[in-house]
Amino acid sequence: MKKLIFLFAILAVTVSTAQEEWGDVNKNKLTMKEIAPVWPGCKGSSSQLDACFNTKLTEHIVKNFKYPTEEYKKNIQGRVTVNFVINELGNVEVTSVTGGNAGLQKAAKDNIMKMPQMKPGMMGGKPRAIKMTVPFTFKTGK
């Protein structure tokens, strides 16, 4: 009986020490997997959807890329970065455009705004706005 009580005491000390050593479990944060938005027509596994999204986005940017006429004539070049969100409904919302001049910024923003409506990104099983950034490099080649 004394051995059983002694064993129980050792076990209780070990458990309480382990809890202090590892911290308070209630303060831990749960990390949920984020699922990217899905471009229309993309199908497959998560990695296939990501690859398809990147391919379709690249095709969209190339197809809709227009160098502003005035900036081209004046040999105005630059790098423009467009930050945007694909919202909970799958629509694009531009949050900021930086770099270049106003003409280059407008061209880059217009390109992104022409993106189609998508299946929204998900987090924890619920639609979530997903932030994205796309850089544009405008070079005249002159």
Side-chain angles (χ1 to χ4, degrees), residues 5 19 27 30-31 35 46 49 53 80 86 90 93 106-107 115-116 118 127 129 134 136 138-139 141-142:
I5 292 173
Q19 287 177 351
K27 292 182 183 177
L30 177 64
T31 303
I35 299 172
S46 180
L49 290 174
F53 181 92
V80 176
I86 298 176
E93 296 175 4
K106 182 180 180 327
M115 289 171 58
M118 300 173 211
V134 173
F136 288 81
F138 291 87
K139 287 188 177 185
K142 293 181 180 181

Side-chain angles (χ1 to χ4, degrees), residues 34-81:
E34 184 177 287
I35 299 172
V38 178
W39 197 282
C42 291
K43 294 180 177 12
S45 68
S46 180
S47 61
Q48 290 171 325
L49 290 174
D50 288 345
C52 182
F53 181 92
N54 291 334
T55 301
K56 296 283 188 178
L57 177 60
T58 302
E59 289 172 359
H60 168 83
I61 289 170
V62 169
K63 179 181 173 188
N64 293 290
F65 185 84
K66 293 195 179 8
Y67 208 114
T69 306
E70 286 301 310
E71 279 70 12
Y72 187 80
K73 286 179 185 176
K74 294 177 183 176
N75 197 31
I76 296 173
Q77 305 178 72
R79 182 178 174 96
V80 176
T81 303

Side-chain angles (χ1 to χ4, degrees), residues 2-142:
K2 285 184 180 181
K3 288 182 181 180
L4 186 58
I5 292 173
F6 179 73
L7 184 60
F8 179 72
I10 295 278
L11 183 61
V13 170
T14 304
V15 170
S16 66
T17 304
Q19 287 177 351
E20 289 173 14
E21 188 175 310
W22 290 98
D24 186 1
V25 175
N26 295 328
K27 292 182 183 177
N28 289 343
K29 292 181 182 178
L30 177 64
T31 303
M32 292 183 263
K33 184 172 192 256
E34 184 177 287
I35 299 172
V38 178
W39 197 282
C42 291
K43 294 180 177 12
S45 68
S46 180
S47 61
Q48 290 171 325
L49 290 174
D50 288 345
C52 182
F53 181 92
N54 291 334
T55 301
K56 296 283 188 178
L57 177 60
T58 302
E59 289 172 359
H60 168 83
I61 289 170
V62 169
K63 179 181 173 188
N64 293 290
F65 185 84
K66 293 195 179 8
Y67 208 114
T69 306
E70 286 301 310
E71 279 70 12
Y72 187 80
K73 286 179 185 176
K74 294 177 183 176
N75 197 31
I76 296 173
Q77 305 178 72
R79 182 178 174 96
V80 176
T81 303
V82 181
N83 295 302
F84 61 98
V85 171
I86 298 176
N87 67 20
E88 293 88 350
L89 301 174
N91 297 318
V92 174
E93 296 175 4
V94 174
T95 55
S96 71
V97 183
T98 58
N101 73 354
L104 298 180
Q105 288 180 359
K106 182 180 180 327
K109 180 180 177 181
D110 289 348
N111 189 308
I112 294 299
M113 291 303 296
K114 290 179 182 176
M115 289 171 58
Q117 183 174 11
M118 300 173 211
K119 182 178 175 187
M122 305 288 278
M123 184 179 284
K126 296 180 182 178
R128 294 283 188 229
I130 306 295
K131 296 177 185 179
M132 306 191 110
T133 301
V134 173
F136 288 81
T137 302
F138 291 87
K139 287 188 177 185
T140 60
K142 293 181 180 181

